[in-house]
Amino acid sequence: MSKSESISQPLEDERKNLHGILNELKSYGYPVLCSSLEMVCKLNGNQDIFWNFSNIDLVNDFPVCADSKNCIQECMEDMSLSAKIDFIKHIRLLLITNIASRGGFKHVFVGDTSCSLAENLLNDINLGRGSQISADTNFYDTRFKVPVCRPLREFLNKEVALYLHLHNCSYTVLPDLLTKTDTKSSIQRLTESFITNLQEDFPATVFTIFRTGGKLSKQDGILGSKLCFLCMSKLDNIEPDPCSALEALKLSEKLSKALNDVTVNSIPDAVNGERSSPLSSDFENQNLLKFLCHGCSVAFRNNKRSSKFSPFLKQMKRNEMKEDIKDFLINAEGEAS
């Protein structure tokens, strides 16, 4: 399952690329499971969210859930490029760890190198995920149902590429949302350019950046006990310090919205002469933000279409409540479980 091409590419191109990748993986002799990014909307249902590649013979046999794919596409329409990349990154990891859990795997190995981890650290700071830096850069990440390991964290991108070349290992590079974009098109693209130039001139500095991330952790007492439903980190926006940067940001946003509301309410409706009323999606977005950390909520805060993704999060909330009260439920035999 690649990073973002399943969202941005036509269905036919997506299937061809996926078939080529899976054939290449199968040539190494490992069992191959395949899924697609839109299956994240099915995590709380009884449907299959992954398939064994050995049971798929033709390109057209790859299952596609059009409704879920459209749901994610519509949800991301009003997002900035930086928010889209961050959103896809986290729902992708959430889906992978859920697949690993259902498949009975004990660990998930990802290919993050020292360069990508250095980029993640700087991106986390820029995107308001400072409390997650340690988990995003450490070797062992226990936030998800299945622990995530990063065995390549001590290697540079150049070293990995050189190893593949010397051992004649085939690999496939697929386009994503950052492909052929301008350096200043997104936070991630700008950070990538900075780290690439840094690696070329001062390679030792890259290790210094990502190793610093393991030492930057927020005290558990400052964070909430509940988890964000997308990145599975502890909520950092529950009863924060009144003098914190987060509270200052909230105050600035509240004042800005209040000014906009005054402006909107002062303009009569062109059809019936009545004043414009707030969209229902605003209310749904506020409910949605209760289940997200500050970093994940940024993409949804001013997104009028994000309410289309809210059924997924609401279902997760219902499952959490059911888990909390399961000891008080009555089973089929009429006895307390």
Side-chain angles (χ1 to χ4, degrees):
M1 182 173 55
S2 52
K3 292 183 179 180
S4 57
E5 63 277 357
S6 62
I7 295 296
S8 59
Q9 283 190 340
L11 179 60
E12 191 64 26
D13 293 342
E14 175 191 340
R15 283 175 167 170
K16 288 182 179 179
N17 288 332
L18 182 59
H19 192 270
I21 293 173
L22 295 178
N23 277 327
E24 189 170 321
L25 291 173
K26 194 175 181 180
S27 66
Y28 288 98
Y30 292 104
V32 180
L33 304 177
C34 60
S35 183
S36 55
L37 198 59
E38 59 266 17
M39 288 296 106
V40 72
C41 296
K42 305 293 184 181
L43 291 182
N44 300 290
N46 297 322
Q47 305 97 322
D48 293 331
I49 60 173
F50 66 94
W51 304 270
N52 194 319
F53 180 63
S54 60
N55 299 329
I56 300 176
D57 298 324
L58 302 175
V59 174
N60 293 331
D61 291 339
F62 288 114
V64 175
C65 181
D67 292 339
S68 298
K69 187 169 184 176
N70 292 336
C71 173
I72 296 181
Q73 287 177 333
E74 291 180 4
C75 174
M76 295 195 305
E77 277 188 14
D78 294 335
M79 291 184 185
S80 65
L81 181 57
S82 299
K84 286 180 182 179
I85 297 170
D86 187 63
F87 175 66
I88 290 175
K89 168 189 170 183
H90 286 94
I91 63 174
R92 177 175 177 265
L93 188 56
L94 179 65
L95 178 59
I96 290 175
T97 51
N98 273 271
I99 291 174
S101 177
R102 295 191 186 188
F105 298 97
K106 295 183 178 180
H107 295 87
V108 170
F109 287 76
V110 294
D112 291 336
T113 62
S114 59
C115 298
S116 61
L117 291 177
E119 293 173 14
N120 288 343
L121 186 149
L122 297 180
N123 287 331
D124 281 349
I125 295 175
N126 293 327
L127 296 172
R129 297 182 179 275
S131 62
Q132 304 168 22
I133 288 178
S134 179
D136 282 342
T137 56
N138 278 339
F139 174 81
Y140 198 66
D141 187 353
T142 59
R143 290 177 295 179
F144 301 91
K145 291 183 177 180
V146 177
V148 177
C149 301
R150 303 181 177 94
L152 300 180
R153 69 191 298 267
E154 298 291 338
F155 298 93
L156 296 169
N157 288 347
K158 186 180 294 185
E159 293 172 332
V160 174
L162 185 60
Y163 176 89
L164 295 176
H165 175 72
L166 294 177
H167 290 78
N168 296 320
C169 296
S170 60
Y171 59 91
T172 302
V173 178
L174 293 175
D176 59 15
L177 295 179
L178 289 179
T179 303
K180 296 183 179 180
T181 57
D182 184 74
T183 304
K184 299 180 181 180
S185 60
S186 66
I187 293 175
Q188 291 87 345
R189 182 69 180 86
L190 186 61
T191 304
E192 179 186 11
S193 176
F194 172 74
I195 294 297
T196 301
N197 294 333
L198 195 65
Q199 176 187 351
E200 183 177 348
D201 299 329
F202 309 99
T205 311
V206 176
F207 293 100
T208 304
I209 294 176
F210 90 85
R211 283 174 180 162
T212 303
K215 304 174 183 178
L216 300 176
S217 59
K218 202 168 184 179
Q219 297 178 3
D220 290 338
I222 300 178
L223 300 174
S225 58
K226 296 183 179 180
L227 301 179
C228 172
F229 286 134
L230 284 184
C231 67
M232 304 307 294
S233 301
K234 291 185 177 181
L235 294 181
D236 54 2
N237 50 7
I238 303 297
E239 298 181 358
D241 186 347
C243 299
S244 64
L246 179 58
E247 284 299 292
L249 181 63
K250 286 183 178 180
L251 177 61
S252 177
E253 182 181 9
K254 185 181 298 184
L255 294 175
S256 177
K257 282 188 175 181
L259 180 61
N260 289 335
D261 290 342
V262 171
T263 304
V264 171
N265 290 333
S266 63
I267 302 176
D269 188 271
V271 178
N272 52 24
E274 297 179 357
R275 293 184 177 181
S276 302
S277 59
L279 297 175
S280 59
S281 59
D282 290 340
F283 176 75
E284 294 186 22
N285 281 359
Q286 291 302 318
N287 289 332
L288 185 65
L289 300 183
K290 296 178 182 178
F291 310 137
L292 303 175
C293 66
H294 173 69
C296 291
S297 67
V298 170
F300 293 93
R301 188 171 289 116
N302 298 314
N303 189 345
K304 300 300 182 183
R305 297 179 181 268
S306 62
S307 57
K308 294 182 177 293
F309 199 66
S310 60
F312 163 66
L313 295 173
K314 289 179 180 179
Q315 180 62 39
M316 296 186 73
K317 182 62 177 177
R318 285 195 290 268
N319 287 354
E320 183 195 42
M321 294 173 63
K322 185 177 180 180
E323 184 70 19
D324 292 339
I325 64 173
K326 66 179 181 179
D327 293 335
F328 304 96
L329 298 178
I330 299 177
N331 57 25
E333 287 75 17
E335 299 177 355
S337 58

